[in-house]
Amino acid sequence: MKHLLIGACALVSLLANASTEENPAEALLHQMGQATEQLDYELSYILVRKNSIEPLRYRHALVDGESFGHIAYLAGPPREVIRRGDEVSYFEPGIDPFTIASNQMVAPLPAIMHSDIDHLSTMYDFVSLGRAREAGLACDVVRVSPKDGARYSYVLWIDQNSKLLTRADLLDRDGDPIEQYRAMSLVVSPQIGNVMKQMSGIELPPVVQVPKQRDSGLSWQVTSLPDGFSPIYSNRHRLMITERPVESQMFSDGLFSFSVYMSEADDLSVREQLVRKGRRTLHSHVSGNAEITVVGDIPPATAKKVAESVRMAAPQRHEGTSTP
């Protein structure tokens, strides 16, 4: 009997591990991430928001082992983003072109294309929804849902052949679409690599040297964050018009991000304000003599909870000092 119990426990453990390791939806997302970084391809797609449809083209290729990317906005004033390895250059109307040291493009592409799936699996459930067609291609459909309900979710269409993402619907907590990324055409070809290789000889703007800021600690802290969100950047600056000092901190879970701003309340401060435009939420309220604002890609209820959890940090005690 003892051996039977041990064997049964081992079988249950094996099945549990198998169900985790062989989740077909999670495996598919890993394949999508590999294809996104390793294939030479061109995607023509549209970004659909509530009151706009924006056409774009994205090209990617490996050039001498380095990842090259190029986004072109196909309507309105000319705009481009070029990535060569660990440098990204931005060309925007009305401002001088510039380059920053980074391996991530700030551009209208679904963040999940370049996310750490293993990390996301601790906060999101990956569920297979069957098959469908998108951009004329047979696709596997996967839902990415938050375990805590405190953030948005995705439904993804992944090409069965190339494993590239052809459609991504960003959904709010009620399941209504906020934003859609939809491929109109997809080409996977080594010819894309030949085109992208020409970019290696283009002279791009020099890398902007951003001065490092001394981290002296903020005067406040967020005491209630959704699981998985962690601080990635903090800053102090003055508003351009009012010269009012502002402290800010950015948080991310690897898929979505938001920032918290703290400043001294004045006569222009609104006691409470909530604005949502597409994926972006702004929640602002006054607590004591502080104005706290949360801005980012999170649901309004989450932004409100984060803002109301901000507390002033306790004064730091230094060694060698004593209290009376």
Side-chain angles (χ1 to χ4, degrees), residues 156-213:
L156 310 174
W157 283 253
I158 300 171
D159 175 30
Q160 290 180 359
N161 184 32
S162 67
K163 306 305 180 186
L164 291 169
L165 184 65
T166 60
R167 176 175 170 181
D169 286 9
L170 180 66
L171 309 178
D172 65 17
R173 295 174 68 183
D174 296 324
D176 296 324
I178 302 171
E179 187 176 285
Q180 287 183 327
Y181 153 97
R182 303 190 69 166
M184 298 292 99
S185 67
L186 167 62
V187 177
V188 181
S189 169
Q191 295 300 319
I192 306 298
N194 295 334
V195 173
M196 296 292 284
K197 192 170 185 177
Q198 298 176 11
M199 288 188 176
S200 59
I202 297 176
E203 184 176 353
L204 296 176
V207 176
V208 175
Q209 300 298 327
V210 180
K212 292 186 177 180
Q213 197 173 43

Side-chain angles (χ1 to χ4, degrees), residues 218-224 249 251 262 309-314:
L218 300 175
S219 61
W220 49 274
Q221 59 184 354
V222 179
T223 61
S224 179
Q249 191 166 31
F251 300 85
M262 165 75 78
S309 77
V310 173
R311 300 288 183 268
M312 301 307 295

Side-chain angles (χ1 to χ4, degrees), residues 123-155:
M123 299 164 284
Y124 296 85
D125 291 320
F126 308 132
V127 182
S128 296
L129 298 182
R131 297 180 174 180
R133 290 181 74 249
E134 191 68 28
L137 302 171
C139 298
D140 291 305
V141 185
V142 174
R143 186 181 182 100
V144 179
S145 301
K147 296 178 184 292
D148 59 5
R151 55 204 104 191
Y152 298 132
S153 61
Y154 270 110
V155 176

Side-chain angles (χ1 to χ4, degrees), residues 26 65 67 86 103 117 146 167 173 178 202 204 235 288 306:
E26 184 171 347
S67 181
D86 292 331
N103 60 6
I117 301 303
R167 176 175 170 181
R173 295 174 68 183
I178 302 171
I202 297 176
L204 296 176
N235 185 31
V306 168

